Amino acid sequence: MLLSELAEKELIEMENGVRYGFLAETECIFDAKTGKIAGFEMPAQMVKMPFQKKKTGMVKYIPWDEIILIGEDRVLFQKTTSTLKHANDD
């Protein structure tokens, strides 16, 4: 799979069914020494939660190990966190 194909996929949280936009709108966090992807960071305005007020300024993070499936047009993941787990914290 090409990186450009991955970037076009929509992010869906399985726990609540929330759509987070597209992977291209996130920042990829990786360990520069190993090249291992730690996860993806996204600005709060990407979150589209129905019936809830948006929390401004809150950054969400999808840890790589929370990704369940990379499908044809979507990336399914378990849940987000509000804090970034650095790749070298293992």
Side-chain angles (χ1 to χ4, degrees):
M1 177 180 297
L2 298 174
L3 182 59
S4 59
E5 294 172 333
L6 189 61
E8 296 172 357
K9 297 186 184 302
E10 187 174 27
L11 296 165
I12 308 288
E13 182 181 40
M14 291 178 57
E15 190 171 280
N16 298 316
V18 176
R19 296 173 54 210
Y20 281 83
F22 294 89
L23 196 62
E25 299 167 337
T26 67
E27 294 291 332
C28 180
I29 309 299
F30 68 96
D31 184 331
K33 292 179 184 175
T34 65
K36 182 179 176 183
I37 296 174
F40 301 93
E41 188 177 70
M42 67 192 99
Q45 63 267 23
M46 284 182 63
V47 181
K48 298 176 176 93
M49 295 191 79
F51 311 114
Q52 292 186 8
K53 293 182 181 178
K54 290 183 182 179
K55 295 180 182 178
T56 58
M58 188 173 181
V59 174
K60 292 287 189 175
Y61 177 70
I62 302 171
W64 180 257
D65 58 352
E66 291 291 333
I67 294 176
I68 303 300
L69 175 72
I70 299 175
E72 284 187 39
D73 56 355
R74 290 178 179 83
V75 174
L76 302 177
F77 61 95
Q78 277 297 101
K79 60 183 176 180
T80 62
T81 63
S82 55
T83 58
L84 176 70
K85 180 184 176 199
H86 297 285
N88 56 1
D89 289 347
D90 292 347

